[in-house]
Amino acid sequence: MVLRSLYISICLIFISACTSASNEIKSGPPETPEVLGENLFIMNCAACHGDDGKLGASGAKDLTKSRLKDHEIMKILKEGKNSMPSMKANLETKKNMDLVIAHIKKLRH
Ligand code: HEC
């Protein structure tokens, strides 16, 4: 009888350990601003600019060589330029635009 309740409590510990572990997986690692900026870039920009900013598809500029200031980049994101469409609908908020701008400036060299 003692053994049996011991067995049951061990099982319960296992079950609770497993459920809390799967909760962690569901919520995922905390998203840092850097990760958010990179994800936004990959989702909305990489098709033309490439993951590393160098692709240049459909006439896109090489972002590693770009030296535009933040407000100039912001204007392009909002209004688009030539074959680059406005990214306003994709990025939605100024905060997201700031995150993407911070990310593309890190691609520069
Ligand atoms: C449909 C393709 C396309 C997508 C998607 C796209 N771009 Fe562009 N991008 C271009 C093209 C083409 C140009 C060149 C515009 C020009 O000057 O003629 C450009 C230019 C730029 C420039 C100016 C670089 C310079 O120095 O002149 C920046 C900055 C830029 N894109 C950032 C982004 C960011 C950030 C995203 C995503 C939020 C993005 N682009 C999405 C095609 C694209």
Side-chain angles (χ1 to χ4, degrees):
M1 199 53 197
V2 175
L3 260 186
R4 204 186 130 133
S5 54
L6 189 67
Y7 175 74
I8 291 174
S9 30
I10 289 174
C11 284
L12 287 177
I13 290 169
F14 259 105
I15 291 169
S16 62
C18 290
T19 38
S20 65
S22 65
N23 282 344
E24 268 163 42
I25 293 168
K26 247 185 251 162
S27 57
E31 286 212 319
T32 61
E34 289 77 18
V35 170
L36 278 176
E38 184 176 8
N39 285 345
L40 287 167
F41 180 80
I42 305 264
M43 284 189 299
N44 299 297
C45 324
C48 297
H49 289 283
D51 289 358
D52 59 1
K54 293 186 200 168
L55 182 64
S58 60
K61 291 270 168 74
D62 181 344
L63 297 181
T64 65
K65 299 207 168 73
S66 174
R67 293 294 176 264
L68 295 181
K69 303 232 167 25
D70 287 15
H71 72 272
E72 296 168 310
I73 301 173
M74 186 63 91
K75 187 171 151 64
I76 295 180
L77 292 183
K78 284 184 181 158
E79 298 170 11
K81 191 177 173 195
N82 300 320
S83 29
M84 175 166 158
S86 163
M87 289 289 129
K88 221 171 164 178
N90 302 51
L91 296 175
E92 293 176 338
T93 60
K94 177 174 182 301
K95 184 163 176 273
N96 284 346
M97 292 186 186
D98 287 336
L99 291 172
V100 167
I101 292 173
H103 178 73
I104 62 176
K105 283 166 69 184
K106 278 197 295 186
L107 300 175
R108 292 178 177 180
H109 49 76

